[in-house]
């Protein structure tokens, strides 16, 4: 019996072909979005004071008129563009969602995430079949880089490192506040964000908790790039500590944040890191794990299921259930473990010492 007020979507046999075709052709949608962003369609329209014609867009993005017309039509069908008729001519403008998330000038732009997905993740996924067969990531096949040391492969060039940091920056600019406020973290005044990358999550944390300070603990070259591109001197409650969290000692703190870190690693490596965190943690302190949680029976959500495949293609790790993260935290010594599902992409798990 269904709870009162709920509706159930029923898929019939007649719907199956269309549904399978939608799945099969999903990459066409992704590549349309990637291409429109790479060519600067949304930025061009955002910079204009009025809707633009096909000819104006083609000229602005330096593309053929025929190709541009087809691209704009697809973007309109995806509700990424609006069309207007002016004196018998079709004109184009951004929809609200495109203005907010697909223009580089927006503070919550996802364009860098899209570029990284297009240039890096998409290439890895070309070898998904091999990843499933072999049970290992595909960096060597995709980029010719051996991946015994995961982040040496991820950061195989300065350009690639900056792209990855821009990806993380855009994610936490949008999702960061939800996860740092999932629990009341105000009792923790000294916080270390391990693998804090661009510092976007650290900045969200100090905004939410005016009494805290956050130190970004990351590799020296990541810290250098973060200082140059992401964290300004105005962020006086955000500082840096250079180090490798597997190899180097962790300074003592009230709280350690591991956001999208454990999903990169096997259970053994995750327990190794969490044990280091537990030993460094002050009595009464804790660790905040931020990840996309799977349902306990593995039935969803779909985003986390797909992310887990992405971890197979790119890393040594996987997405996990709340019970699995609880087991990892318990093995490292943490107690009173709480789970908070945010209703968004990323959830939070808090363990106490």
């Amino acid at each position: 019996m269904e709870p009162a007020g709920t509706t159930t979507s029923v898929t019939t046999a007649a719907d199956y072909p269309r549904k399978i075709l939608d799945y099969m052709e999903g990459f066409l949608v992704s590549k349309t979005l990637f291409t429109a962003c790479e060519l600067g369609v949304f930025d061009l329209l955002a910079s204009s004071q009025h809707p633009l014609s096909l000819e104006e867009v083609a000229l602005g993005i330096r593309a053929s008129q025929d190709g541009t017309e087809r691209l704009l039509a697809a973007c309109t069908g995806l509700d990424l563009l609006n069309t207007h008729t002016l004196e018998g001519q079709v004109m184009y403008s951004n929809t609200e969602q495109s203005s907010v998330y697909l223009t580089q000038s927006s503070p919550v732009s996802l364009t860098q995430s899209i570029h990284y997905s297009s240039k890096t993740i998409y290439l890895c996924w070309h070898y998904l079949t091999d990843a499933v067969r072999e049970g290992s990531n595909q960096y060597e096949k995709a980029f010719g880089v051996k991946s015994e040391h995961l982040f040496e492969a991820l950061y195989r060039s300065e350009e690639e490192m900056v792209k990855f940091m821009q990806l993380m920056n855009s994610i936490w600019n949008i999702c960061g506040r939800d996860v740092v406020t999932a629990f009341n973290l105000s009792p923790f005044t000294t916080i270390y964000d391990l693998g804090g990358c661009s510092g976007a999550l650290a900045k969200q944390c100090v905004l939410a908790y005016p009494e805290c300070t956050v130190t970004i603990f990351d590799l020296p070259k990541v810290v250098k790039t973060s200082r140059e591109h992401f964290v300004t001197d105005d962020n006086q409650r955000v500082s840096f500590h250079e180090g490798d969290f597997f190899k180097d000692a962790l300074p003592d703190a009230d709280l350690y944040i591991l956001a999208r870190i454990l999903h990169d690693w096997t259970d053994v490596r995750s327990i190794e890191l969490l044990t280091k965190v537990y030993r460094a943690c002050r009595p009464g302190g804790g660790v905040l794990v931020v990840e996309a949680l799977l349902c306990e029976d593995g039935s969803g959500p779909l985003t986390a299921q797909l992310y887990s495949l992405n971890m197979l293609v790119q890393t040594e790790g996987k997405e996990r259930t709340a019970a699995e993260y609880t087991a990892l935290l318990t093995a490292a010594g943490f107690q009173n473990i709480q789970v908070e599902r945010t209703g968004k992409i990323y959830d939070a798990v808090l363990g106490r010492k």
Side-chain angles (χ1 to χ4, degrees):
M1 186 179 218
E2 293 291 336
T6 63
T7 58
T8 302
S9 177
V10 178
T11 301
T12 66
D15 298 319
Y16 294 161
R18 179 68 261 172
K19 195 169 185 179
I20 296 299
L21 284 171
D22 286 343
Y23 293 159
M24 183 181 75
E25 296 170 353
F27 77 95
L28 301 178
V29 175
S30 298
K31 288 299 288 183
T32 298
L33 175 62
F34 295 166
T35 299
C37 286
E38 288 168 24
L39 290 174
V41 170
F42 307 109
D43 291 319
L44 175 68
L45 293 171
S47 67
S48 174
Q49 300 299 313
H50 53 78
L52 299 180
S53 66
L54 166 63
E55 293 79 7
E56 290 171 319
V57 175
L59 181 64
I61 65 173
R62 299 181 181 180
S64 70
Q65 190 166 311
D66 178 37
T68 301
E69 183 174 23
R70 300 184 200 202
L71 180 63
L72 297 181
C75 288
T76 301
L78 292 171
D79 294 325
L80 300 176
L81 295 178
N82 292 317
T83 58
H84 319 264
T85 302
L86 182 63
E87 297 180 355
Q89 187 176 27
V90 177
M91 311 291 283
Y92 298 89
S93 66
N94 288 331
T95 60
E96 182 180 1
Q97 66 175 340
S98 297
S99 295
V100 173
Y101 296 111
L102 300 179
T103 59
Q104 295 190 56
S105 58
S106 170
V108 290
S109 174
L110 286 171
T111 54
Q112 298 301 336
S113 297
I114 290 166
H115 291 325
Y116 189 80
S117 294
S118 175
K119 299 298 185 182
T120 300
I121 298 175
Y122 198 84
L123 293 179
C124 285
W125 273 65
H126 180 73
Y127 299 98
L128 177 61
T129 303
D130 293 338
V132 171
R133 283 180 177 145
E134 298 165 12
S136 60
N137 73 59
Q138 299 297 305
Y139 264 95
E140 187 167 2
K141 288 178 185 171
F143 304 108
V145 178
K146 291 186 180 297
S147 56
E148 286 88 352
H149 302 289
L150 174 60
F151 278 85
E152 287 182 13
L154 279 171
Y155 297 155
R156 60 193 175 276
S157 69
E158 183 174 357
E159 178 187 8
E160 195 66 21
M161 181 176 66
V162 170
K163 284 197 299 183
F164 179 80
M165 293 176 72
Q166 288 170 330
L167 162 72
M168 300 306 297
N169 200 64
S170 62
I171 287 172
W172 297 131
N173 281 341
I174 294 173
C175 304
R177 183 170 180 82
D178 291 327
V179 295
V180 299
T181 59
F183 300 100
N184 178 15
L185 302 181
S186 59
F188 308 109
T189 56
T190 304
I191 300 173
Y192 268 71
D193 185 3
L194 303 184
C197 200
S198 72
L201 192 61
K203 287 186 276 189
Q204 292 288 340
C205 202
V206 297
L207 283 173
Y209 304 103
E211 302 302 317
C212 82
T213 60
V214 181
T215 301
I216 299 163
F217 187 107
D218 217 317
L219 300 171
K221 59 185 178 182
V222 176
V223 168
K224 179 178 179 290
T225 303
S226 188
R227 280 180 164 140
E228 290 175 353
H229 297 282
F230 298 102
V231 179
T232 67
D233 292 337
D234 295 336
N235 304 114
Q236 295 182 1
R237 290 188 292 121
V238 176
S239 59
F240 294 92
H241 186 115
E242 296 181 358
D244 180 322
F245 50 57
F246 278 116
K247 297 177 181 177
D248 299 319
L250 301 179
D252 66 320
D254 299 318
L255 180 73
Y256 300 85
I257 298 176
L258 292 168
R260 284 179 45 124
I261 299 295
L262 297 183
H263 76 167
D264 289 334
W265 305 101
T266 63
D267 287 354
V268 171
R269 295 305 304 276
S270 295
I271 292 172
E272 177 188 345
L273 177 56
L274 287 169
T275 300
K276 281 189 71 173
V277 170
Y278 182 81
R279 289 171 179 164
C281 186
R282 294 170 183 166
V287 61
L288 180 71
V289 173
V290 177
E291 298 287 0
L293 295 181
L294 288 163
C295 298
E296 293 303 329
D297 62 359
S299 62
L302 177 59
T303 298
Q305 292 168 324
L306 294 174
Y307 282 2
S308 202
L309 272 179
N310 191 45
M311 293 300 99
L312 173 64
V313 170
Q314 290 204 87
T315 74
E316 299 176 9
K318 61 181 180 178
E319 306 300 344
R320 298 176 173 92
T321 66
E324 288 173 320
Y325 280 114
T326 297
L328 295 178
L329 288 162
T330 301
F334 288 98
Q335 301 175 346
N336 301 323
I337 296 160
Q338 299 171 269
V339 177
E340 190 64 38
R341 293 186 179 271
T342 66
K344 308 291 180 61
I345 296 175
Y346 297 104
D347 304 302
V349 182
L350 180 66
R352 303 295 291 264
K353 179 174 180 179

